[in-house]
Amino acid sequence: MQHRIVVLGAGYTGAVAAGRLARRLHREDVTITLVNPEPDFVERVRLHQLAVGQDLKPRPLSEMFAGTGVELKLAKVTAVDVDRRTVPVTGANGPEREDLAYDTLVYALGSGWNDGGVPGAVTHAYEVSSRPGALRLRDRLAALGAGRPVVVVGGGLTGLEAATEIAEARPDLDVALATHGALGDWLSEKGRAHLRKVADQLGITVHEYAAVDAVEADRVTTADGRTIPAEVTVWTTGFAVHPIAQATALELADRGQIVVDATMRSVSHPDVYAVGDAAMAIGPNDKPLRMSCASGVPMAWQAADAIAARLAGVKVPRVPIRYFQQCVSLGRTEGLIQFVTADDQAKDSALTGRLAALYKELICKGAAWGVAHPTLGMPSRRRRVVRTPGSAAAAAPASAATAAAPTTAA
């Protein structure tokens, strides 16, 4: 009987995990089903470009996974039943319901924008964490006349990229950035100086220490009483994980992420793996990995390799996840590459200017290429599922054999 692997979500992490599993395992031993509500892969790291009117290259999932053995299921996940090991889904284009049974589940449903409970944010603000959100913002920006005020709330990577992209593409608009603390306060001195330089060149008004606590149709209000005019408010203060896991018996962290071990396996349900923004994984110096593509792709590699190794009854690879840099596009011609320690703290060194913009573009293209060619660029050796009595693969994933403590990544 084939071992049934179901992967939920075809973003960076889910697509990479499915493709790597297809490369690692023999098709006659397993079935791999990739579930996603949309037929195309979305380059989330480029959605700020889409929002200002740039066209992104179509990437149909059916073409990406053609010939890999991965079955693409266009459907919306409505729940996860970890006791029955099933995933109820509805069709992408209709109400039909189906229960997908699994032996191993890879949960990669990711995250969306987080309004933080701020009054008026849901009603009046725009987001760029999803393609529908970016397209909605695109239409609104296109309708704005010259001189109209746009405020980006949030001074993290998404906020910086959105504000600079809008200001560069629409120099006729009055673009402002509201940050909770100082501008780029997590960067090195060189990084902060370059960020301020680019903001000045693009004419972006920066409001520092401006925690926004209310959003209205034509303004935002800060906690200290300041009012900032805004015909368009773009909300980028953070991400909220997909809520499906909260209705399950999986052990979750405070933010609703699935708690996993160093191989991305759920600490409460060993037949479930979680990757990307959906997972609470610990990195260097016992710090949680941040929600990002930089964390998610290595998490997907680790999960796929661990699943393949356990099914084959061999030692699970030790692959510690660490950081090397934070890549920030500041429009199409400027960028900032902040080099960081293993636990994501800024070093003194940073790359800036046009070279940094090219570096970031290569990173984005490389990530998209890795998803678009999910079974290329990896060792060709496949593993067969071992079904010898007493082995981890011989028993059901929830058995004592599979639940036994494995060799894990550092």
Side-chain angles (χ1 to χ4, degrees):
M1 182 177 178
Q2 290 179 310
H3 188 94
R4 299 162 299 181
I5 301 175
V6 175
V7 181
L8 305 183
Y12 285 99
T13 57
V16 166
R20 197 168 178 100
L21 283 165
R23 181 66 168 175
R24 290 287 189 259
L25 296 167
H26 282 267
R27 295 183 190 179
E28 61 266 29
D29 293 332
V30 299
T31 62
I32 303 171
T33 303
L34 178 60
V35 184
N36 200 62
E38 297 184 66
D40 298 321
F41 170 71
V42 176
E43 287 189 83
R44 189 173 185 179
V45 296
R46 292 191 186 275
L47 288 180
H48 54 284
Q49 296 175 237
L50 182 64
V52 299
Q54 298 171 33
D55 292 325
L56 303 184
K57 180 181 179 180
R59 299 185 184 277
L61 292 167
S62 59
E63 294 181 9
M64 291 164 53
F65 287 96
T68 66
V70 174
E71 177 191 356
L72 178 62
K73 182 78 173 180
L74 295 181
K76 180 181 179 181
V77 177
T78 59
V80 173
D81 189 331
V82 294
D83 295 321
R84 295 177 57 234
R85 296 212 299 272
T86 60
V87 179
V89 301
T90 57
N93 299 311
E96 65 273 14
R97 184 182 183 277
E98 180 182 357
D99 286 349
L100 301 178
Y102 67 82
D103 297 305
T104 296
L105 180 71
V106 180
Y107 187 104
L109 291 180
S111 64
W113 75 300
N114 185 3
D115 64 89
V118 172
V122 172
T123 304
H124 300 296
Y126 293 78
E127 52 93 4
V128 288
S129 65
S130 68
R131 180 158 57 184
L135 290 173
R136 179 170 169 258
L137 176 58
R138 177 178 184 157
D139 291 342
R140 183 69 182 98
L141 291 173
L144 279 185
R148 309 317 299 169
V150 175
V151 172
V152 177
V153 180
L157 301 183
T158 304
L160 296 178
E161 294 192 329
T164 51
E165 201 74 54
I166 294 170
E168 181 185 81
R170 290 292 305 275
D172 59 318
L173 297 177
D174 182 9
V175 179
L177 176 66
T179 70
H180 188 275
L183 180 65
D185 53 10
W186 76 95
L187 297 169
S188 64
E189 182 178 349
K190 180 179 180 180
R192 292 193 301 271
H194 185 69
L195 183 57
R196 289 186 181 278
K197 175 186 174 182
V198 173
D200 289 343
Q201 289 174 340
L202 293 174
I204 299 172
T205 302
V206 179
H207 300 272
E208 298 180 289
Y209 303 101
V212 173
D213 64 2
V215 181
E216 298 179 52
D218 61 351
R219 74 195 69 181
V220 300
T221 304
T222 66
D224 59 4
R226 282 178 278 175
T227 297
I228 306 172
E231 278 199 28
V232 173
T233 299
V234 184
W235 198 265
T236 69
T237 61
F239 300 105
V241 298
H242 197 289
I244 289 289
Q246 295 179 351
T248 71
L250 292 163
E251 182 174 334
L252 306 179
D254 292 342
R255 298 176 65 183
Q257 294 170 297
I258 299 170
V259 181
V260 297
D261 65 16
T263 66
M264 307 304 126
R265 187 166 69 167
S266 164
V267 298
S268 62
H269 292 73
D271 49 354
V272 177
Y273 291 72
V275 293
D277 293 355
M280 170 58 74
I282 302 301
N285 290 334
D286 294 327
K287 293 182 179 179
L289 298 175
R290 61 178 164 90
M291 291 184 178
S292 66
C293 183
S295 306
V297 171
M299 292 166 75
W301 294 339
Q302 175 62 76
D305 290 353
I307 292 169
R310 288 189 175 113
L311 288 178
V314 300
K315 183 178 180 181
V316 176
R318 293 180 176 270
V319 185
I321 297 175
R322 57 151 299 163
Y323 298 101
F324 295 93
Q325 65 225 345
Q326 293 183 11
C327 303
V328 192
S329 62
L330 303 174
R332 295 299 86 208
T333 61
E334 280 283 356
L336 170 61
I337 309 300
Q338 176 63 66
F339 297 104
V340 298
T341 60
D343 62 351
D344 211 27
Q345 301 302 302
K347 295 182 178 180
D348 291 337
S349 55
L351 185 65
T352 62
R354 184 175 294 275
L355 185 58
L358 293 173
Y359 190 115
K360 171 64 186 295
E361 181 63 18
L362 288 174
I363 293 291
C364 291
K365 287 183 176 179
W369 189 93
V371 174
H373 302 81
T375 62
L376 297 180
M378 294 178 287
S380 59
R381 181 181 179 184
R382 293 175 181 264
R383 298 190 186 279
R384 289 189 178 277
V385 175
V386 177
R387 302 190 185 280
T388 304
S391 73
S399 71
T402 307
T407 302
T408 61

